[in-house]
Amino acid sequence: MRACKCSVLAMVIGSIIPVSYANSLIIDGKLDDQAWQSAQKIETFFQVVPATHKVFNDKLNAQVFSDQSGIYIGITNFQPVHSRKKQFNLQDGFMQADFNRVYIDFSGDGSSAYLFAITLGGGTQDAVVTSQRTTDHDWDGDWQSAYHEYGTHWSSEIFIPWHSVSFSPKLNEQGLATIGLGVQLYELESNHIFANQQQTLSNSDFFLNMPKLEVKVPVQSQLSFVPYMTHQHHFTERQGKNRESDVGFDLLYKPAHNQTLSVAMNPDFAQVDSDDVDVNYSAVETLRTDKRPFFTQDISVFNVDALQDTKLIHTRRIGASSDDGSEMITPIDGAVRFVHQGTHNQWGGFAVRENSLDNAVGKHFYAGRYSYRTANWRTGVLATHVERPWLNRQAHSAAWDSQYQSETWSVQSAFLLSQIDGEEKNTGNGASLDIGYQFSPNTSASGKYLRLNRHFNNRDMGYMKRNDWQYMNLNFSHAVNINNNWLTRVKHVYDVSYETNTDGLKLPSKQGYRAELMMSNGAQWTMQLDHTGKGWQDNIGADSIAFELPEAFETRVLYVSPYIGSFSWAASIELDEEGLSGHAQQYALDMTWMPHENWNIKFNNFYRNGDGWLVANKRNQITEYDRRYFVNTIEVSSLLADNLELSANVQWSVLEAASKEIFQVTEQGLVQRNDLDTSFVDKGLMSQFKLRYRLGAYSDIYLVYRRGGRDIVALQRDNVGEQGWLDGVEQNWTRPDEDSAIFKMRYLF
C-alpha cells in the first residue's frame, strides 16, 4: 500500500510540472523577464529534514521552462529579512547561508543526476550524483546562477545549458524527453529542508519517485577547445629547477548529447590547490580527491562502488610521482576518452600516456567500462590496465558490479579481480555486497560485506585500505520527529562490525551507538559511544607478525552552534582507550567568523594527547608512544569584486612522540626492548594564497603563492618537547621546502 501511495504521489507531482518554451533571458535572479510568464509553477513542498513530510505552500515555489539553449529554474523563497542568512562561499565550499539546491536527472532513468546549488550570497556548489546515490563534488559544470533580494522574499535563478552534461534523452511518442527534477530550500535558521519530493538522497527510492517533466531537447553537437598555460617560479629550488612553464589543451567534441570524445595534448593535469598537511604513520594510505577536469567529466559512467573506499580507478595515481622517484609530478603526453550513454547501454573508455622522461619511468593507463540498465536494475563490467616499464610490471583489474533499487530495497554488489605481472605473477579476487532496507523515511537498516584476499592488489590504478580482509557490518537508524520549542528530531544509530583476515584471524572491530539531536534553534548535539573488541593487529606494518590488542572504549560529544549570525562554532571532546594500555583525550574547536557577507574566516583547531599510540618503526618492531598532536588551520575566503575571489589557507601541525615502550613482534608475542629510543618530532607547515578571476565556465586566471615545509627530527626521549611549537613552525616558514609563485590561465572557446 505504501509503495502505491508513493508512486501515485510522484505521478501527481510530475503532472503539475509541464514545461513551456521561451526565448533565453538574462540570468539576474529577479524572475521578471517576460519568459517566466509562460513557465509552469511548482507550489507544493514537503518538509524532508526532519522527515515529517508536512506540506507547505508558503515556504517557496519554483518555476521551470526550457528552450533551445537549456533548462531554466526560478525559485522564490519566502523568508523575511530578519530570518535570512546571506553569505558568499567559494565554489564547492561549505555553504553557511540559506540556499537552494536542484537535482536534475537529465536521462530520467536514475542512471545519474547532477546537483546545482546557490546560496543567498552567490556561493555555488555542483556535483555528480551516481546511480548509487553517492555525491562527487569534484565535477565542475558549465552553468549560470544569480540571486536577488526583496523585502519579503529572495529569489534565485539557475540556467543549465543542454551541452553542459552528457545524457541520453528518454523520448516519448511525441518526441519529448522525460527529465527528473528535485528542488529544495535549506533554511539555515532551523536546519530544515523543504523539497518538492518526499525523498532525499538517503532514501532508496530517491530516483524512482523524483518528479518528472517533459521537455523538448534539441538535437545538438558541440566542439569545445580549452587551452591553458602555466608558469611557476620556485624561490627555493625544487628538484633542481627554479622555473617551470607549461602549455597544453583539452578538446571536447559531442556529436550528440549522449556521446563525448575528449582529447588532450599535454593536458592540464596540474593541481592549483595544495593538499592539506598529511601526518599519516599508519599502513592505510590517505585517500585524496581529484579536481582535474579530464577525470571529473562523465565520472558516473566509470563509477563502481565497493565498500570501504575500494576503487579500481583512483585518478590521483595518474600523473603522480615517477617510478624512479625523480619527479613529484610526471608530465602527461596525451589522453583520450570516449563515452556513449544509450537508453539501456552505457560504455566508455580512456587512455593516458605519461612522458617516459629519460629512462622509461612514465606509466600508461587504460580503462574500459560497459553497463546495462533498466528502471530498477543495472549491471556492468569495468576493466583497467597499467603498464610500468621501469618496474617491468603490468597490472590488470576487473569488476562486475550490479545494483537493484525499489521503494524499500537497495542492493549493490561487486566482484573484483586483479592480476600483477612482474617478477612474480599474482592473481587476487574480492567481493563487496551492500544491502539496505527502508522501513519508513525515518527508519532504515543495512548490511555490508567486503572480502579481499591476500593477493588482491589494485593500487597501480585504484585504491584500497588493505587486502587479506573480511569486513562485515550491520547498521540500524531510526529518527523520531519531535515538534516542541527546543527539540525537533532525535536520531538513533546502532552500528555493529566484525572483521577477520582471510585465514579467519579475528581483527579489532567496532560496535557503536550514536544519538543525534537537532534543536529548534538550529543547534545540533551528537553523543557517541564505541566499543572495539579484542582482536589481532596484523596490518600495522608491511608483512608484520600479528599481535593481540585488548578491547577499548571511546566516547565522544559534539556540539554545533546555530549557523545564523556573524559567528558560529563547533566543539567536541573525545575520551579513548588506545594501544596496549594507554588512554587519550581529543579536543576539537572550529570557529567561523563572517565580518561581512563576502568574507568568511575559519579557525580550526585539533589536539590529541595520549600515551598509547602504536606505530611500526620497521618490520616486526613497534613503539608505543606518549604523543601530543596539534593541527591549526586558518582559512580565509572572500569575494573582492565581481568574479574576483581571494582565498588563503595556512595550516601547521606539530607531532611530538616520546618512546614509552618498544617491542619486537614475535610469533610468541611482544618482547620488550630496552636498547632503543625511537622518539621523534614532526612539524609541518602549508600555506597558500590564491587570487582567482573567473572569466566564465572553465575560463579562469589564477595567481597563487605557496610556502611551506616539513621537518622530521629523531630525538632522545628527554628532548622531546624542548622546542616551542611556534619556533618549529617558524623554521618551516623561514627555511621552506616549497616557496613558489604560480600563474595560470585557461579559457574555453
Side-chain angles (χ1 to χ4, degrees):
M1 185 66 181
R2 178 186 176 279
C4 179
K5 286 183 179 179
C6 289
S7 300
V8 171
L9 179 61
M11 289 188 291
V12 170
I13 295 174
S15 68
I16 65 172
I17 316 177
V19 70
S20 60
Y21 304 95
N23 295 323
S24 299
L25 63 143
I26 299 172
I27 305 301
D28 56 11
K30 297 181 179 179
L31 306 183
D32 57 358
D33 297 85
Q34 184 64 32
W36 288 112
Q37 300 302 314
S38 59
Q40 297 298 313
K41 294 188 184 303
I42 307 170
E43 296 181 324
T44 301
F45 285 81
F46 307 90
Q47 181 177 305
V48 294
V49 176
T52 63
H53 291 172
K54 182 180 178 181
V55 177
F56 287 87
N57 296 313
D58 58 352
K59 286 289 184 181
L60 71 157
N61 63 49
Q63 306 173 70
V64 186
F65 76 88
S66 68
D67 62 11
Q68 292 294 306
S69 300
I71 186 167
Y72 303 79
I73 302 101
I75 307 170
T76 302
N77 306 279
F78 300 105
Q79 294 177 290
V81 174
H82 69 270
S83 66
R84 302 177 201 164
K85 173 60 177 175
K86 180 179 180 181
Q87 193 66 43
F88 169 78
N89 67 272
L90 297 175
Q91 183 175 357
D92 292 333
F94 181 71
M95 299 191 296
Q96 193 161 336
D98 297 297
F99 65 84
N100 289 129
R101 182 162 50 199
V102 174
Y103 294 97
I104 304 184
D105 175 8
F106 286 90
S107 298
D109 60 0
S111 57
S112 67
Y114 292 85
L115 178 157
F116 306 90
I118 174 175
T119 70
L120 175 61
T124 60
Q125 283 186 358
D126 51 17
V128 174
V129 181
T130 68
S131 56
Q132 296 87 2
R133 295 176 286 120
T134 60
T135 303
D136 192 319
H137 284 278
D138 290 339
W139 176 77
D140 292 327
D142 176 6
W143 58 290
Q144 300 176 46
S145 64
Y147 73 95
H148 191 78
E149 286 193 275
Y150 300 90
T152 57
H153 63 278
W154 66 278
S155 56
S156 63
E157 203 167 23
I158 295 174
F159 167 59
I160 303 112
W162 297 120
H163 67 254
S164 65
V165 299
S166 297
F167 66 101
S168 177
K170 185 179 179 181
L171 303 179
N172 60 17
E173 295 179 354
Q174 291 75 38
L176 299 177
T178 300
I179 289 179
L181 176 68
V183 179
Q184 296 182 351
L185 164 66
Y186 181 88
E187 186 179 75
L188 195 74
E189 184 180 44
S190 62
N191 280 332
H192 291 180
I193 298 178
F194 306 91
N196 67 322
Q197 69 174 112
Q198 295 184 6
Q199 297 76 25
T200 65
L201 275 180
S202 63
N203 301 124
S204 62
D205 52 347
F206 173 77
F207 279 113
L208 296 176
N209 288 315
M210 181 179 282
K212 302 296 192 296
L213 63 147
E214 293 182 342
V215 299
K216 185 173 180 61
V217 178
V219 177
Q220 290 180 341
S221 63
Q222 181 201 14
L223 180 65
S224 300
F225 177 61
V226 186
Y228 81 93
M229 64 86 63
T230 63
H231 176 74
Q232 298 186 48
H233 182 86
H234 303 300
F235 301 101
T236 298
E237 191 175 88
R238 186 177 181 184
Q239 293 187 311
K241 301 175 184 177
N242 290 107
R243 295 179 180 85
E244 295 180 79
S245 298
D246 216 352
V247 295
F249 67 84
D250 290 281
L251 184 68
L252 184 143
Y253 175 59
K254 296 182 67 172
H257 293 297
N258 65 328
Q259 295 180 337
T260 306
L261 173 66
S262 301
V263 179
M265 297 301 295
N266 192 27
D268 181 12
F269 278 67
Q271 294 276 85
V272 172
D273 292 322
S274 297
D275 292 322
D276 289 343
V277 175
D278 184 20
V279 182
N280 184 355
Y281 285 85
S282 75
V284 179
E285 175 190 6
T286 301
L287 179 62
R288 299 192 182 279
T289 62
D290 194 342
K291 296 288 287 186
R292 297 177 291 183
F294 183 87
F295 293 118
T296 58
Q297 300 299 318
D298 300 315
I299 191 172
S300 61
V301 174
F302 296 93
N303 185 71
V304 170
D305 266 355
L307 293 174
Q308 296 295 88
D309 296 321
T310 307
K311 303 173 182 290
L312 295 192
I313 297 179
H314 175 42
T315 55
R316 287 291 292 263
R317 303 282 187 221
I318 303 175
S321 59
S322 58
D323 278 340
D324 66 348
S326 62
E327 297 288 340
M328 296 175 60
I329 297 176
T330 308
I332 306 293
D333 283 340
V336 61
R337 182 186 65 240
F338 182 78
V339 168
H340 171 86
Q341 301 187 54
T343 303
H344 296 290
N345 298 281
Q346 291 185 339
W347 54 272
F350 69 78
V352 181
R353 189 181 185 91
E354 294 180 348
N355 192 288
S356 62
L357 301 178
D358 296 329
N359 51 355
V361 297
K363 302 173 285 292
H364 311 149
F365 300 86
Y366 307 91
R369 171 70 159 157
Y370 170 79
S371 64
Y372 177 85
R373 70 171 295 109
T374 62
N376 298 79
W377 176 76
R378 178 189 61 79
T379 189
V381 293
L382 170 69
T384 72
H385 173 72
V386 181
E387 297 179 3
R388 308 180 73 169
W390 196 81
L391 298 176
N392 191 27
R393 176 186 176 99
Q394 293 190 350
H396 322 269
S397 68
W400 171 36
D401 66 311
S402 300
Q403 173 190 336
Y404 172 79
Q405 288 188 294
S406 69
E407 299 277 352
T408 54
W409 285 98
S410 173
V411 181
Q412 299 170 26
S413 66
F415 297 94
L416 312 171
L417 291 173
S418 72
Q419 180 175 307
I420 306 298
D421 296 329
E423 295 181 1
E424 296 182 0
K425 183 174 181 178
N426 285 313
T427 301
N429 60 71
S432 174
L433 179 64
D434 187 351
I435 301 177
Y437 185 79
Q438 181 176 295
F439 297 92
S440 72
N442 290 301
T443 307
S444 63
S446 68
K448 299 177 173 64
Y449 174 75
L450 175 70
R451 184 184 190 277
L452 303 174
N453 76 358
R454 62 167 47 92
H455 293 300
F456 182 80
N457 186 349
N458 64 338
R459 287 195 173 113
D460 292 82
M461 194 174 188
Y463 174 88
M464 65 176 178
K465 291 183 176 179
R466 60 165 293 173
N467 54 15
D468 190 17
W469 192 21
Q470 291 190 95
Y471 168 81
M472 290 152 277
N473 175 269
L474 294 175
N475 179 277
F476 179 78
S477 173
H478 175 64
V480 179
N481 299 317
I482 302 170
N483 188 16
N484 61 36
N485 293 331
W486 64 281
L487 184 64
T488 60
R489 185 184 72 176
V490 178
K491 184 176 182 180
H492 307 275
V493 180
Y494 303 88
D495 199 78
V496 179
S497 298
Y498 186 78
E499 300 182 41
T500 70
N501 63 19
T502 51
D503 291 330
L505 187 66
K506 182 181 179 299
L507 307 178
S509 51
K510 185 174 291 188
Q511 297 78 41
Y513 165 74
R514 184 174 76 251
E516 301 174 0
L517 281 68
M518 182 179 291
M519 316 306 291
S520 298
N521 65 354
Q524 301 172 68
W525 284 92
T526 301
M527 283 77 75
Q528 186 167 339
L529 174 64
D530 293 323
H531 169 256
T532 301
K534 180 189 297 185
W536 292 83
Q537 168 58 269
D538 70 339
N539 191 42
I540 197 169
D543 300 321
S544 62
I545 298 173
F547 62 94
E548 194 170 24
L549 286 175
E551 66 176 355
F553 287 90
E554 301 175 5
T555 58
R556 183 172 186 257
V557 177
L558 166 68
Y559 172 76
V560 180
S561 76
Y563 288 124
I564 58 174
S566 60
F567 180 80
S568 65
W569 60 283
S572 68
I573 180 171
E574 184 172 328
L575 303 177
D576 304 334
E577 296 176 331
E578 65 175 7
L580 301 174
S581 59
H583 295 80
Q585 305 85 43
Q586 180 174 299
Y587 309 93
L589 175 62
D590 299 337
M591 299 175 289
T592 303
W593 180 41
M594 293 155 285
H596 186 272
E597 62 193 35
N598 289 337
W599 283 83
N600 189 305
I601 305 173
K602 296 181 179 180
F603 306 88
N604 301 319
N605 303 275
F606 173 89
Y607 176 72
R608 185 174 178 90
N609 182 22
D611 60 359
W613 184 43
L614 289 178
V615 176
N617 307 114
K618 61 181 182 180
R619 186 171 183 267
N620 293 329
Q621 179 184 298
I622 62 171
T623 300
E624 188 173 37
Y625 288 100
D626 287 325
R627 173 264 311 262
R628 292 198 302 165
Y629 179 47
F630 177 74
V631 182
N632 177 272
T633 304
I634 302 174
E635 297 179 6
V636 178
S637 62
S638 173
L639 182 66
L640 299 178
D642 289 344
N643 300 322
L644 180 61
E645 300 172 355
L646 167 69
S647 62
N649 187 356
V650 179
Q651 183 181 69
W652 59 279
S653 66
V654 178
L655 170 62
E656 296 177 341
S659 299
K660 178 183 175 184
E661 304 285 355
I662 300 175
F663 300 94
Q664 195 71 31
V665 186
T666 69
E667 296 287 355
Q668 290 72 37
L670 299 179
V671 178
Q672 187 172 347
R673 298 188 59 175
N674 299 314
D675 58 332
L676 294 175
D677 187 349
T678 60
S679 303
F680 68 95
V681 172
D682 181 351
K683 298 184 179 182
L685 170 70
M686 184 279 294
S687 63
Q688 175 176 282
F689 307 88
K690 180 175 69 175
L691 281 172
R692 178 187 187 186
Y693 186 76
R694 303 183 62 133
L695 302 170
Y698 304 114
S699 302
D700 305 275
I701 298 174
Y702 295 95
L703 182 60
V704 183
Y705 177 70
R706 296 176 183 166
R707 189 182 183 99
R710 185 94 175 263
D711 188 25
I712 304 174
V713 181
L715 297 172
Q716 295 298 313
R717 175 183 174 86
D718 293 338
N719 299 124
V720 172
E722 279 191 342
Q723 185 185 42
W725 287 359
L726 291 178
D727 293 335
V729 174
E730 181 184 4
Q731 290 179 6
N732 292 138
W733 179 265
T734 56
R735 298 195 296 270
D737 297 327
E738 181 175 18
D739 185 13
S740 303
I742 304 169
F743 173 81
K744 174 180 173 181
M745 181 176 181
R746 64 174 181 173
Y747 194 81
L748 169 64
F749 292 95

